[in-house]
Structure formats: C-alpha cells, structure tokens
Amino acid sequence: MISKANEPVTYFIADLHLAQNRPDITACFLSFLKSNAPEAEALYILGDLFESWIGDDDNSPFVIEIARALAELSQKNTKIYFIHGNRDFLLGKKYANKSGMAILPEVEQIELYGQKMVIMHGDTLCTRDINYQKFRKKSRSWWWQAIMKSLPLFVRRNIAENYRKKSAMATSVKSQEIMDVTPQEVVNCLEQYHSQLLIHGHTHRPAVHRLTANGQEAQRVVLGDWYEQGAWLKFTPKGYELLNQPFEQSD
C-alpha cells in the first residue's frame, strides 16, 4: 500500500479534453497520476476528461492506456470519482469500472475535512447559452442516447468529430458573457444545497469568486483546463489552492 501524505489531501481536476492528437496533455496527466495523485485520499474528475466519448465499446489503445493509468491509481488506495462533462457524458459504468472510477450524479454534495461543498461540471450554470442548453436537454434523454449507442462505432466517431467542429465554430462567435455562468444560477445552486462552496469546471476560467448565498459569504472555485498546462485544485484541512504544471518540452 502506498503511504499517503502526512496531511490529508484531495485533488479536483476538470476539462483535460484528452485526445490522441494532444500527446502533451496526455503526458502531463499520466505524470500527475504517478507523481501527485497517489498522495491523495481522493481524486475528483469533474467532467470533460476526454475531448469526446463515443461509447464504452471503444477499445482503442489510447482509451485503454488512460483506463489502466487510472486503475493503477485506484489500486494505490486513492479513490477516484467522476462526474460527466459536456464532452464525455456517454461514458458509462463499463469504462468506469475498468478505470477504477465511481460515477457521481451531475450535481453532488460532499463534505471534506469538515467543510460541505457542491461539485459539478458546470455547464448547467451557463443558462444564457440557450442553444447549448437545448442540445444538452436532448442529448441527455434516454431515447437520444439509445439511438447513438446503437450506431456503429465508426459512425459515432464521425458524428463526434462533426460535433467538435460545429461546437468550435459556435463558440468562436458567442460572447464571453453567454458562455460564462449565470450568477443567479450559482446562488440558486448554493442555496438549494445549503452550501457556501461550489467547485466546478467547464468555463476554463480558473479563479476563486466570492459572492453571497444563504445570507453569508460564499466561494465559487473554477478549475482550470489542460489545454496549455496541467491544472488542479489541492484541498486540505488547512484550505485549498489552484495549482498548475507546465507541459514538458519535447526535444
């Protein structure tokens, strides 16, 4: 058994968007799993671990490599929890079990070191992005997912590729305000769960925001993406901090 750090540690990550054409991100993530994560009691992956997910029947060497690396971490007594993102919401129990991950609901309340908090991917907070919210509602329906999963793997792969291109085009013309969270939705979420701390990803704008909810000061912690560097939230009994790690330079 791997010995943990003297001080209890929990890590949160999101928006890695792992893909075969970004070996730099993959290398940084695998390094994180071997060097940093084993000291943690738990690792929470808050969505968009992958750039896209076409189904648990995808047995490509790339997704198998990630599953093995995660499974190795779970075997070192670090619990791994996963919340679906807007890119990998089709990831199912089969792959999660293979990776040693436990799938959580899209919004979950947890308690760490005496502090209650709400964790989520964060896309549901972006209510001003009306077109995306319409697609989200449709794509989370049982009938849409049943149709998608019934298609041949190569067809799903093509659909995912087309969706990524359309999403990139749509994002390029949307305002930053539309793509960011709706402030009142954040307050509503915190008050629904009677919490003063919310942790999420999705917007790719790492920061700690202070606001008022439940008549008290509250915090919203936004996790960073992994497009240009590794990024995670380190949470201990003494507090939390957003950390990052540059990608290794290739020769």
Side-chain angles (χ1 to χ4, degrees):
M1 180 182 297
I2 301 295
S3 61
K4 302 299 180 182
N6 294 329
E7 181 181 52
V9 176
T10 296
Y11 286 121
F12 295 85
I13 59 176
D15 301 296
L16 289 83
H17 294 265
L18 295 174
Q20 284 184 290
N21 65 346
R22 286 299 305 269
D24 51 350
I25 300 177
T26 301
C28 187
F29 179 53
L30 294 179
S31 175
F32 170 78
L33 292 182
K34 290 182 179 180
S35 303
N36 302 85
E39 71 173 350
E41 296 181 317
L43 170 65
Y44 288 85
I45 304 172
L46 304 189
D48 285 1
L49 173 62
F50 292 94
E51 173 68 5
S52 65
W53 190 259
I54 58 176
D56 286 12
D57 55 340
D58 180 0
N59 292 316
S60 64
F62 174 70
V63 298
I64 291 175
E65 177 186 23
I66 301 302
R68 287 176 176 168
L70 287 166
E72 287 179 8
L73 175 64
S74 70
Q75 291 164 7
K76 295 175 182 176
N77 209 32
T78 295
K79 296 180 180 178
I80 307 175
Y81 300 98
F82 174 80
I83 290 180
H84 291 110
N86 55 294
R87 297 299 187 107
D88 50 17
F89 59 88
L90 288 176
L91 193 151
K93 292 182 179 180
K94 181 179 179 181
Y95 189 79
N97 291 338
K98 189 184 301 182
S99 305
M101 301 189 299
I103 298 179
L104 299 179
E106 64 179 33
V107 182
E108 180 80 340
Q109 185 176 46
I110 64 174
E111 183 173 332
L112 278 182
Y113 317 127
Q115 183 168 3
K116 293 182 179 180
M117 64 198 72
V118 178
I119 59 175
M120 63 196 307
H121 178 57
D123 56 331
T124 54
L125 300 172
C126 304
T127 57
R128 290 173 293 199
D129 194 345
I130 297 175
N131 289 334
Y132 167 71
Q133 293 300 335
K134 288 181 178 178
F135 170 76
R136 188 186 192 283
K137 182 178 181 180
K138 178 179 69 173
S139 62
R140 298 310 190 274
S141 64
W142 68 268
W143 59 265
W144 188 92
Q145 294 194 13
I147 292 174
M148 284 296 296
K149 291 176 181 178
S150 69
L151 297 173
L153 194 64
F154 77 92
V155 174
R156 279 177 273 149
R157 185 171 286 112
N158 290 336
I159 291 175
E161 180 61 28
N162 289 333
Y163 172 73
R164 285 200 299 272
K165 292 178 180 178
K166 290 181 179 179
S167 177
M169 291 180 61
T171 299
S172 67
V173 297
K174 290 179 182 177
S175 69
Q176 294 297 314
E177 181 182 16
I178 288 177
M179 293 189 294
D180 204 354
V181 302
T182 303
Q184 188 58 46
E185 285 299 314
V186 174
V187 175
N188 293 344
C189 178
L190 287 168
E191 294 186 342
Q192 178 184 350
Y193 288 91
H194 306 287
S195 178
Q196 302 308 117
L197 177 60
L198 170 64
I199 301 175
H200 72 85
H202 183 65
T203 62
H204 300 192
R205 298 177 183 181
V208 177
H209 301 271
R210 300 190 182 280
L211 62 143
T212 299
N214 301 298
Q216 305 174 53
E217 181 179 293
Q219 291 85 40
R220 175 172 68 94
V221 181
V222 186
L223 304 176
D225 64 68
W226 288 54
Y227 284 141
E228 298 179 357
Q229 61 186 3
W232 54 85
L233 175 70
K234 182 178 182 180
F235 206 108
T236 73
K238 295 180 181 178
Y240 55 82
E241 58 180 330
L242 290 165
L243 302 172
N244 56 67
Q245 176 177 311
F247 292 153
E248 292 185 4
Q249 298 296 319
S250 58
D251 296 332

